[in-house]
Amino acid sequence: DGITGVAPGASIVAVQVFPASGGAHFSDILSGFDFCLANKENYSISVITMSLGAFSGFTNRSACNNYLPAFTKAVNTAYGYGITVTASAGNSGSNTSLSMPACLSNVTSVGSTTKNDTLSSFSNRNSMLSVLAPGSSINSSLPCFGAADCPHYGKLSGTSMAAPHVAGLVALAQQYS
């Protein structure tokens, strides 16, 4: 298929937190975090990336950290274990706020750039934003509808396309450290 990702030698542990109908509950996301933390050594988990965002509108870390204390605790626990946590900044085009969980302390928040290395118009950003990565018109895997349809790829845009780029970069950096 000729498609290669950022860290092609990295192993990926996929943790499904969204039901087929969409709209994950906070408890589902926390369960995914719990799985990663409980299995960090079994699967050599060194990066958790979350291409999701909710509760937009956070303009400072204090309000974000206090909004869902259990989520803040899970991120801080991962950080304490040396696990890097990346998260999508959100796609509202806000220049004053980030989405949750990107706004949390100890999360590497990821905004999106275009193929021309300019800020994507949809990307959230403010002083809490950690890094920008490619997120516009990214060739990504898409759901398959039967074996004959797989693998299936298409171009997608969003900070959810950018966050995995950063997770791959972290994995590469850890490989050589």
Side-chain angles (χ1 to χ4, degrees), residues 1-170:
D1 62 18
I3 296 175
T4 302
V6 174
S11 296
I12 296 174
V13 179
V15 179
Q16 179 69 27
V17 297
F18 283 82
S21 61
H25 295 281
F26 172 66
S27 59
D28 298 328
I29 298 167
L30 271 181
S31 292
F33 242 95
D34 289 343
F35 174 87
C36 290
L37 296 175
N39 290 284
K40 66 185 179 337
E41 293 180 21
N42 295 342
Y43 296 111
S44 299
I45 295 173
S46 60
V47 182
I48 296 172
T49 188
M50 294 178 287
S51 291
L52 53 87
F55 315 117
S56 294
F58 288 98
T59 58
N60 66 73
R61 292 210 190 279
S62 178
C64 185
N65 289 336
N66 291 326
Y67 188 71
L68 293 171
F71 208 112
T72 302
K73 181 180 178 188
V75 167
N76 290 342
T77 300
Y79 181 82
Y81 286 135
I83 298 172
T84 300
V85 179
T86 69
S88 307
N91 300 320
S92 303
S94 174
N95 63 4
T96 60
S97 65
L98 298 184
S99 295
M100 165 74 137
C103 57
L104 290 169
S105 297
N106 297 323
V107 168
T108 301
S109 54
V110 185
S112 172
T113 61
T114 68
K115 300 282 185 190
N116 297 322
D117 287 332
T118 60
L119 184 68
S120 301
S121 61
F122 56 80
S123 183
N124 289 0
R125 66 265 186 209
N126 72 2
S127 62
M128 293 185 292
L129 186 68
S130 304
V131 67
L132 294 165
S136 291
S137 298
I138 302 300
N139 201 13
S140 181
S141 58
L142 298 173
C144 298
F145 301 101
D149 189 40
C150 287
H152 188 68
Y153 301 97
K155 295 205 182 258
L156 297 173
S157 296
T159 57
S160 289
M161 299 295 106
H165 279 91
V166 175
L169 176 64
V170 170

